[in-house]
Amino acid sequence: KRTFLSGTNRTLSLGTNRELRQEYKQKGHTLPLIDVLIAATSITHNCQLVTRNKKDYFMHGVRLYDF
């Protein structure tokens, strides 16, 4: 059985998640956990994030495709 996030990639995504939450908390932004996890996964895997909810993914490093 294959999982999307496994081993090292899971660790990288969770590390990126923690960094994003801390960085934006210092700037006065409280980010919902699910949004940060999605953004961190996109950054870690160098994938473009497809969303209609562009306002929730303003974090640096997130490449958006807004349709």
Side-chain angles (χ1 to χ4, degrees), residues 11 13-23 36 40:
T11 303
S13 291
L14 292 175
T16 303
N17 166 41
R18 199 173 1 239
E19 291 168 9
L20 284 173
R21 287 185 66 118
Q22 288 175 353
E23 177 183 342
V36 176

Side-chain angles (χ1 to χ4, degrees), residues 16-59:
T16 303
N17 166 41
R18 199 173 1 239
E19 291 168 9
L20 284 173
R21 287 185 66 118
Q22 288 175 353
E23 177 183 342
Y24 285 92
K25 185 176 182 179
Q26 291 173 349
K27 294 178 180 180
H29 298 284
T30 302
L31 303 174
L33 179 59
I34 190 64
D35 291 343
V36 176
L37 286 172
I38 292 168
T41 302
S42 172
I43 293 167
T44 299
H45 294 279
N46 196 28
C47 296
Q48 193 170 24
L49 178 58
V50 179
T51 183
R52 288 188 177 178
N53 197 8
K54 193 174 171 180
K55 68 177 178 58
D56 286 340
Y57 298 99
F58 56 87
M59 301 79 131

